[in-house]
């Protein structure tokens, strides 16, 4: 495709930014249009009847800007690329693969084909395997080598094999099994595996080794350390079969490790790591919250898939979200995006979205192999509020950078303590932050409060800081699945507009390749003479001190 900057709608948006966008006043927009909220908000109804409200009305948009963004999506053929993804076509062009994580949550079991093969039966078979296994662990039928039931599950993975399950198990902790704890090890820093193993007993611990190829260096190193810890205690290698499970497709390596291939859960190469929580990689989630809840999680995502594929652009919630990112990134020159959940259980949600967004769209080359001359991926960050309000929110309110923000809240808490007092306080901050970022505080308002002299400008707030407010009825397996799918598809829309491949990650590989070379050099005490002078001297100093 040609550069999106050459599309008529892009040119139109440039003109709209100059004529009204950069001077847009949210405060004035609400005064001028009492129906603004209804025009710029949408309610998603999940498969179970629960609802999530997406309020875009505090964004720096009006009907003409939004209409031009819709035109941009049409001219960039976003709908066509979306349809190709759902048809199993190889839209991951640099790796010549389909992008078919949506097939993993096809709970309607409708035919979904890749290369002429209906993958629905295979997906369902893996899910049934996950159900049988998770049910046996949760019920106590699956026992360790001494006959004791499993009490600790340790997931060893990295990247998508870690961030997804970590986030989901934390977010859905209210649905957890009463006597099974889950732990996650991803960092090759020995501290991570060492501190985790301190919490575990070999007799009652189950390890899930999550690596598609079973050759991922960091995961294999941690898995080997876990295996050595286990064997130091139990001595007998045959006991590995009761305490180690593989989330992989490399049967020979799995068997060599000592894992019974009956306890191997596979997934296809059309499942990208950052989209893999819906697959066998979600086995830790399945054990923790139970298969029925995992199924609801999948169905919530499937409901968003159906909305995304069947709803016209103007009412398509993920489409609007992705287009707003383009509006801010490419026209307002906002380089960041903040996602702030008002929910402690969702404290790992921003970290999960960081990988989803920045690994997907951190690209500078288009699908037709040309370097871009426009901005692509945004820097996504976030923390759970209200604590975050006492850290980086100062920059969001009064800094020189425009930081579009998503606020997420559930109306109902899983812990309505003190007659729901805490939830009301939480909600008051959720509403107040969005309103204050939009309205700001003028010089006149500051002076009316009795502030005088040089202190006045310090207490002024410019306002017009855009926010999207996402309000769920409750964070359930279904609503969490829906929220993840919403962000997946909005990320897809961004990449489609920018003309990049959102589904490879070559930038992840370079450091890994160089690390393998350096690792060999670290296996002896001899000084190195290769590399640039900085790296060389750092390596030699490390050797001297280690």
């Amino acid at each position: 495709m040609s550069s999106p900057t050459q599309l008529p709608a892009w040119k139109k948006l440039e003109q709209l930014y100059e004529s009204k966008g950069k001077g847009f006043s949210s405060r004035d927009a609400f005064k001028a249009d009492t129906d603004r909220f209804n025009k710029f908000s949408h309610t998603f109804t999940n498969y179970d009847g629960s609802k999530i409200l997406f309020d875009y009305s505090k964004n720096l948009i009006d009907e003409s800007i939004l209409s031009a963004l819709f035109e941009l999506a049409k001219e960039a053929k976003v709908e066509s690329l979306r349809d190709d993804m759902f048809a199993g076509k190889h839209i991951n062009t640099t790796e010549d693969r389909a992008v078919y994580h949506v097939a993993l949550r096809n709970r309607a079991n409708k035919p979904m084909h890749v290369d002429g093969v209906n993958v629905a039966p295979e997906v369902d078979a893996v899910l049934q395997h996950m159900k049988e296994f998770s049910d046996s662990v949760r019920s106590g039928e699956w026992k360790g080598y001494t006959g004791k039931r499993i009490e600790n599950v340790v997931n060893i993975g990295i990247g998508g094999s870690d961030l997804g399950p970590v986030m989901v198990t934390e977010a859905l902790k209210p649905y957890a099994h009463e006597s099974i704890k889950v732990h996650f090890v991803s960092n090759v820093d020995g501290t991570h595996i060492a501190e985790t193993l301190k919490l575990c007993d070999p007799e009652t611990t189950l390890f899930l080794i999550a690596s598609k190829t079973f050759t991922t260096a960091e995961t294999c190193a941690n898995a080997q350390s876990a295996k050595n810890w286990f064997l130091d205690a139990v001595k007998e290698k045959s006991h590995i079969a009761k305490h180690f499970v593989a989330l992989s497709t490399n049967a020979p390596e799995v068997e060599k490790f000592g894992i019974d291939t009956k306890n191997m859960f596979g997934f296809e190469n059309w499942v990208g790591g950052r989209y893999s929580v819906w697959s066998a990689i979600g086995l830790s989630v399945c054990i923790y919250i139970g298969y029925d809840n995992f199924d609801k999680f999948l169905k919530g995502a499937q409901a968003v898939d159906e909305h995304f594929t069947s709803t016209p652009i103007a009412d398509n919630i993920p489409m609007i979200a992705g287009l707003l990112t383009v509006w801010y990134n490419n026209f307002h020159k906002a380089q960041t995006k903040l996602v702030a959940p008002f929910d402690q259980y969702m404290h790992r949600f921003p970290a999960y979205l960081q990988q989803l967004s920045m690994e997907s769209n951190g690209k500078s080359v288009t699908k037709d192999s040309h370097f871009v001359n426009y901005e692509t991926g945004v820097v996504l960050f976030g923390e759970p509020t209200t604590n975050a309000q006492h850290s980086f929110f100062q920059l969001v309110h009064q800094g020189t950078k425009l930081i579009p923000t998503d606020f997420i809240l559930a109306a109902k808490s899983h812990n309505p303590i003190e007659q729901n007092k805490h939830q009301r306080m939480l909600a008051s901050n959720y509403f107040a932050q969005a309103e204050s970022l939009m309205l700001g505080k003028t010089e006149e308002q500051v002076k009316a409060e009795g502030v005088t002299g040089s202190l006045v400008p310090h207490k002024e707030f410019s306002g017009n800081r855009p926010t999207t407010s996402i309000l769920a009825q409750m964070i359930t397996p279904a609503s969490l699945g829906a929220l993840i799918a919403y962000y997946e598809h909005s990320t897809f829309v961004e990449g489609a507009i920018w003309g990049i491949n959102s589904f490879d990650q070559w930038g992840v590989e370079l450091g890994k390749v160089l690390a393998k070379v350096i690792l060999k050099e670290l296996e002896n005490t001899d000084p190195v003479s290769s590399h640039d002078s900085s790296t060389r001297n750092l390596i030699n100093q490390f050797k001297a001190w280690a």
Side-chain angles (χ1 to χ4, degrees), residues 202-221:
E203 294 181 75
T204 58
T205 300
L206 176 69
F207 293 93
L208 310 181
I209 314 302
S211 172
K212 185 187 295 186
T213 62
F214 225 75
T215 58
T216 308
E218 300 91 341
T219 299
C220 288

Side-chain angles (χ1 to χ4, degrees), residues 33 70 87 176 186 193 229 242 282 303 316 320 359 398 413 534 537 546:
D33 187 356
F70 296 153
S186 57
I193 185 72
W229 170 84
K242 277 293 184 182
N316 195 307
I320 294 168
E359 193 168 89
Q398 288 186 305
S413 172
S534 172
N537 281 287

